Amino acid sequence: MDNRPRGREKNVTGGGAGVHRRGEGLGTGKVGSGSGMPQRPAGGGNGGPQRSGGQRSGGTRGGVPLIAILLALLLGGGGGLGALSGLFGGSSSTPSYTPSTSYTGSASSGGSAYSGSVVQSLFSTGAASAGDQWTSSANTGKLNTAVAPEARAKFTTLRGGGKDTVTILVYMCGTDLESKNSMATSDLSEMAKATIGSNVNLIVYTGGCRQWQNNAVSSQVNQIWQVKNGGLTCLNQNAGTASMTDPGTLQSFLKWGGRNYPADRTMLIFWDHGGGSLSGYGYDEKNPSSGSMTLSQIDGALAGAGLKYDFVGFDACLMATAETALMLSKYADYLIASEETEPGVGWYYTNWLTELSANTSLPTIEVGKKIADDFVDVCARTCRGQQTTLSVVDLAELGETLGDEFAAFAKDTRELIQNDGYQTVSSARSGAREFAASSAIDQIDLVHFARNLGTDEGEALAQVLLSAVKYNRTGNMTNAYGLSIYFPYKKASKVDQAVDTYDRIGVDDEYSACIREFASLEVSGQAVSGGTASPLGSLLGGSASQVSSGDIAQLLGLFLGGDVSSVAGLTAGNTGFLSGRSLSDSDIAAYLAEKRFDPSYLTWTDGRLLLPQEQWDLVQGLDLNVFYDDGTGYVDLGLDNVYEFDASGNLLGETDGTWLSINDQPVAYYHLSTAEEGEHYTITGYVPALLNGERMELILIFSDETPYGYIAGARPAYADGETETVARGLTEVLPGDTLDFLCDYYSYDGQYQDSYFLGEQMTVTDQMTISNTYLGEGVLAMYRFTDLYGQHYWTDPMD
């Protein structure tokens, strides 16, 4: 048995050859060679082959034969997401736990940097840029007290000497964070433990939750509370039942708070799920049809309330965006928020509330620093391995300094696209730090993106942003500088929504024009590329073929003429951005003819893939996609960032026939992200599963400290249309819980069948092990290439 861990290795054999792979692992359990058949359908999977890839996956059951089929409709009806939406509806999210996994084998020698010139050029996401350190990159962990001379005067003027009065308004929509995992109750307890002075009023509006996990807060109506003297005092027993994502509810509370608790310093904190630039804030569990509160709706509520804030904070995911900051600059002096999804524990309230009460004249950036430090440090102790970000942004500065530089950057980037520079922009975008990547919300770090472009305008924009971000803390995260932005890449169908939001909140028109230009060329490339939305062609022996120049012009004409059916997700109702393009049809056709990936190269010659350098230059992603032929059809086992090159830079088509297993049960595994610097690395991936019968994504984390990996927790996988926000934190996975692993299944004729259970139901113990298990003769492994238009192509299966 090879006891090397599932870590990251570097193996240079000379001539620029390198390896990027997971270790062979620990598992010794063998899987039958196609002796089984898929079991009963689980329903609610990916929705078919058009959604294959590193997104949400569905499921199948079987034991150690890999799977065994039972086509009886044991879960009711014909399976599939629509029929089983009740089973795969909203689920929970709590602080992750520290498992008691026993690790065996030798320790890893550490993480590997990407090797070989081809790999280095392709995969910059997650790798630290020059000068970055694992614990501090650029503006990370450094308090900047300087203020740009252009900054406006602060709305809040401190009296000093501890004489300031403070009102803190917390808008706490408990939702499933509370009903499932008591997260709101935990934070209320942290608030109650603080020593709150007489000149500090901490007011909390509660609602949006089907079942509060305490004996005080009502699950029937919204309420208003004051936290003082170590407990809660109810100020309004019945504030109605309106949705907390209704901007009118927010506005009413803010007006009430300003009227009843006027203060020298007013602070506002949003507590719930967050979705970032487009989705905004909030998911009301009692009123799910109300959707989230968009940035433009928050803008309207704040304008109607008529208050100015010392800071506005989001104890919610993904809200540290440039769009959020620009919108809030009219109302607040500072923004405190996270670029990435927040671990379930969220902010830690006790310490900063106590310190602020002890000195109510404490400068806001120092209050923000304390919030960020406690957040990252507590998460590091209680949610090990999870990625964390929190930044403190000076809105008084950003609102005055960003405009010109941002407009110049957007204009220059658009002109770059118009002048045959789409590939440069696409590479900069795909290589930028992305947040909530598996949710495909297209939010990236703006500084990283701007610097990736390598333009003077990009560097000027980066400097303005770095100056305005006064404090920034991260954990297990590189290239996160404090503010993200929406930039289309995975879902061009959202561009019209973004432009509408920008019109409403006043984002510069140059940026809207820029993303329209980019998206129109990207989807045009998808429409004429000849790529596929699934690997079925390769599985069935028919790879995608090269499209001729004449075909490109014809296909492009049909697409731009209104036939958008060739691009997944596009309809006549979400393609308004196409009318905003400045390039002519002939210019687009000429560019696409020159910059096109040729899938005819994706065949193996003596175990190697001989792809010319000019073709590698068009590749922006490379993933190993593994299937298992069980004798009746194909089981999709997921995607991993595993690849190896020979001394000549050719991709090797070799596989050892193993795949990731939990307790020796092979599972569908999807790589999410890699962060590394020197010998330090953190690899995150997920396994689709049912946790105690609820649809989840089981999060696995591997690092230099835990090379064999561990289960960090489970993330809710909401049903389509339930909410566009992203769940905060992870649900704890405890001994005694049940796991049903899930996968997608395809018939031999290439038809998506359903989501099935994979293996027998497993009961969680305190000795869960992760390993690589040999699968036998049924393995079908191929590589998935992603081109500069975000289109996927698969190689033939390896021998």
Side-chain angles (χ1 to χ4, degrees):
M1 180 174 67
D2 186 342
N3 281 331
R4 283 181 290 172
R6 183 190 164 75
R8 312 235 335 153
E9 300 177 356
K10 184 175 182 180
N11 179 24
V12 178
T13 58
V19 61
H20 176 213
R21 58 179 176 170
R22 47 186 174 85
E24 271 75 1
L26 313 173
T28 58
K30 287 210 175 217
V31 177
S33 302
S35 59
M37 297 171 59
Q39 267 200 36
R40 57 186 175 90
N46 276 352
Q50 71 274 14
R51 290 181 59 189
S52 65
Q55 307 298 319
R56 195 168 289 164
S57 180
T60 322
R61 297 184 71 140
V64 171
L66 181 62
I67 52 179
I69 191 167
L70 177 61
L71 287 176
L73 301 177
L74 298 181
L75 294 183
L81 189 58
L84 297 175
S85 59
L87 176 61
F88 298 109
S91 34
S92 56
S93 162
T94 68
S96 66
Y97 81 120
T98 303
S100 302
T101 302
S102 61
Y103 304 116
T104 57
S106 59
S108 171
S109 61
S112 69
Y114 294 124
S115 306
S117 60
V118 171
V119 181
Q120 289 171 345
S121 67
L122 292 180
F123 305 102
S124 58
T125 301
S129 33
D132 286 355
Q133 301 298 319
W134 182 254
T135 55
S136 63
S137 59
N139 65 336
T140 303
K142 303 172 184 177
L143 183 64
N144 176 15
T145 60
V147 179
E150 303 95 324
R152 63 160 168 81
K154 297 292 193 293
F155 294 133
T156 300
T157 302
L158 301 182
R159 297 167 61 188
K163 298 178 181 178
D164 293 277
T165 57
V166 180
T167 292
I168 305 169
L169 302 173
V170 181
Y171 195 64
M172 181 175 278
C173 184
T175 196
D176 55 345
L177 299 174
E178 170 65 13
S179 63
K180 299 293 185 182
N181 300 297
S182 306
M183 293 181 185
T185 293
S186 176
D187 281 352
L188 288 171
S189 177
E190 291 173 4
M191 295 175 192
K193 290 177 182 177
T195 302
I196 299 176
S198 59
N199 54 354
V200 174
N201 288 303
L202 176 55
I203 311 298
V204 183
Y205 188 99
T206 60
C209 177
R210 290 174 183 157
Q211 184 60 55
W212 288 80
Q213 302 298 315
N214 60 64
N215 296 323
V217 180
S218 171
S219 301
Q220 304 303 314
V221 296
N222 302 343
Q223 296 178 312
I224 302 177
W225 300 84
Q226 182 171 15
V227 183
K228 65 177 183 179
N229 301 325
L232 298 176
T233 299
C234 193
L235 304 177
N236 188 337
Q237 290 279 1
N238 187 349
T241 59
S243 171
M244 287 193 67
T245 58
D246 182 339
T249 309
L250 172 63
Q251 179 177 315
S252 177
F253 169 55
L254 297 179
K255 292 177 73 173
W256 181 93
R259 182 171 63 251
N260 290 280
Y261 295 93
D264 298 314
R265 310 177 70 174
T266 300
M267 302 167 179
L268 171 61
I269 298 171
F270 290 85
W271 193 105
D272 191 9
H273 296 311
S277 303
L278 303 189
S279 300
Y281 157 83
Y283 166 53
D284 188 310
E285 186 182 41
K286 294 172 65 178
N287 300 279
S289 62
S290 63
S292 58
M293 193 186 310
T294 65
L295 293 185
S296 62
Q297 290 176 316
I298 295 173
D299 186 17
L302 296 181
L307 300 178
K308 299 298 185 184
Y309 305 91
D310 190 356
F311 76 74
V312 173
F314 286 89
D315 194 355
C317 299
L318 303 163
M319 296 305 294
T321 74
E323 295 95 333
T324 305
L326 286 169
M327 181 272 292
L328 287 176
S329 65
K330 304 188 294 288
Y331 309 107
D333 291 334
Y334 293 91
L335 166 66
I336 304 174
S338 172
E339 288 187 274
E340 184 55 279
T341 54
E342 284 194 355
V345 295
W347 292 13
Y348 182 74
Y349 287 87
T350 305
N351 291 348
W352 73 268
L353 288 172
T354 297
E355 291 192 17
L356 179 61
S357 292
N359 177 14
T360 56
S361 301
L362 191 67
T364 311
I365 57 172
E366 294 187 24
V367 175
K369 180 180 184 300
K370 183 62 179 175
I371 293 171
D373 286 341
D374 282 351
F375 168 72
V376 174
D377 293 344
V378 169
C379 287
R381 292 195 299 269
T382 61
C383 310
R384 66 172 180 150
Q386 292 188 47
Q387 296 173 322
T388 51
T389 61
L390 206 69
S391 55
V392 182
V393 183
D394 187 335
L395 300 178
E397 178 176 327
L398 189 76
E400 300 299 320
T401 60
L402 184 62
D404 290 344
E405 304 295 351
F406 185 52
F409 168 77
K411 183 175 184 290
D412 178 72
T413 303
R414 185 188 187 196
E415 290 175 349
L416 190 60
I417 297 169
Q418 293 169 338
N419 291 286
D420 295 337
Y422 170 86
Q423 181 177 352
T424 299
V425 178
S426 181
S427 296
R429 163 61 183 89
S430 68
R433 167 60 66 191
E434 185 167 3
F435 304 103
S438 66
S439 299
I441 62 172
D442 281 331
Q443 282 188 197
I444 55 173
D445 186 86
L446 183 50
V447 169
H448 196 202
F449 174 50
R451 284 182 162 171
N452 279 353
L453 278 171
T455 61
D456 292 342
E457 290 80 2
E459 183 57 32
L461 174 62
Q463 291 303 322
V464 166
L465 294 165
L466 292 171
S467 175
V469 177
K470 299 306 179 185
Y471 194 66
N472 184 34
R473 277 292 306 274
T474 66
N476 297 318
M477 175 72 74
T478 53
N479 296 317
Y481 297 96
L483 283 172
S484 64
I485 197 166
Y486 168 80
F487 195 94
Y489 187 68
K490 293 180 177 177
K491 284 186 179 179
S493 59
K494 295 290 186 180
V495 172
D496 286 354
Q497 180 183 342
V499 171
D500 180 67
T501 296
Y502 294 165
D503 288 344
R504 292 174 184 272
I505 65 175
V507 173
D508 195 280
D509 289 343
E510 288 286 357
Y511 191 69
S512 293
C514 175
I515 63 173
R516 286 199 304 265
E517 197 77 66
F518 180 87
S520 64
L521 192 49
E522 179 190 37
V523 296
S524 296
Q526 292 173 8
V528 305
S529 66
T532 62
S534 82
L536 296 181
S538 292
L539 285 172
L540 299 172
S543 300
S545 60
Q546 173 73 312
V547 178
S548 69
S549 297
D551 288 339
I552 286 178
Q554 182 178 4
L555 291 170
L556 183 63
L558 290 172
F559 177 73
L560 297 178
D563 181 7
V564 297
S565 59
S566 59
V567 178
L570 293 189
T571 67
N574 60 20
T575 51
F577 65 90
L578 290 174
S579 63
R581 68 187 185 278
S582 60
L583 290 172
S584 68
D585 293 5
S586 59
D587 287 339
I588 294 176
Y591 186 84
L592 298 179
E594 179 184 358
K595 303 289 187 179
R596 52 179 170 164
F597 185 76
D598 185 351
S600 65
Y601 285 106
L602 299 185
T603 57
W604 302 104
T605 302
D606 297 326
R608 286 165 169 75
L609 193 144
L610 311 178
L611 193 67
Q613 183 59 50
E614 62 269 18
Q615 287 291 301
W616 276 118
D617 291 342
L618 303 177
V619 177
Q620 293 182 349
L622 179 63
D623 301 278
L624 177 66
N625 197 177
V626 172
F627 287 76
Y628 184 83
D629 181 348
D630 73 319
T632 301
Y634 304 113
V635 180
D636 188 350
L637 289 175
L639 294 159
D640 203 355
N641 63 335
V642 179
Y643 40 83
E644 186 172 357
F645 295 89
D646 66 14
S648 299
N650 299 311
L651 180 66
L652 296 178
E654 299 175 355
T655 176
D656 61 5
T658 68
W659 192 249
L660 187 141
S661 296
I662 296 177
N663 284 5
D664 292 331
Q665 168 58 53
V667 295
Y669 170 80
Y670 294 85
H671 171 264
L672 286 175
S673 66
T674 297
E676 58 184 333
E677 173 62 24
E679 294 298 308
H680 300 288
Y681 67 90
T682 298
I683 302 171
T684 304
Y686 78 87
V687 173
L690 301 185
L691 174 63
N692 299 323
E694 294 191 65
R695 178 71 176 271
M696 294 279 183
E697 293 171 351
L698 204 63
I699 302 300
L700 308 185
I701 295 178
F702 307 87
S703 71
D704 54 295
E705 295 181 349
T706 56
Y708 296 98
Y710 60 94
I711 300 172
R715 180 175 59 197
Y718 292 119
D720 287 347
E722 186 173 357
T723 178
E724 291 190 352
T725 58
V726 179
R728 194 181 96 181
L730 301 178
T731 295
E732 195 169 7
V733 180
L734 296 171
D737 288 344
T738 60
L739 289 172
D740 292 279
F741 299 114
L742 306 174
C743 71
D744 283 348
Y745 190 72
Y746 301 87
S747 63
Y748 278 149
D749 62 1
Q751 297 299 310
Y752 170 75
Q753 297 299 294
D754 208 331
S755 285
Y756 283 82
F757 292 99
L758 183 59
E760 298 297 334
Q761 186 176 86
M762 185 178 295
T763 300
V764 176
T765 70
D766 60 1
Q767 297 293 318
M768 303 296 286
T769 60
I770 300 173
S771 63
N772 288 344
T773 298
Y774 179 64
L775 300 181
E777 297 298 325
V779 176
L780 292 167
M782 60 194 81
Y783 280 100
R784 187 186 77 171
F785 284 69
T786 304
D787 72 4
L788 69 163
Y789 309 107
Q791 193 76 339
H792 300 314
Y793 307 81
W794 279 261
T795 67
D796 295 331
M798 305 177 215
D799 292 335

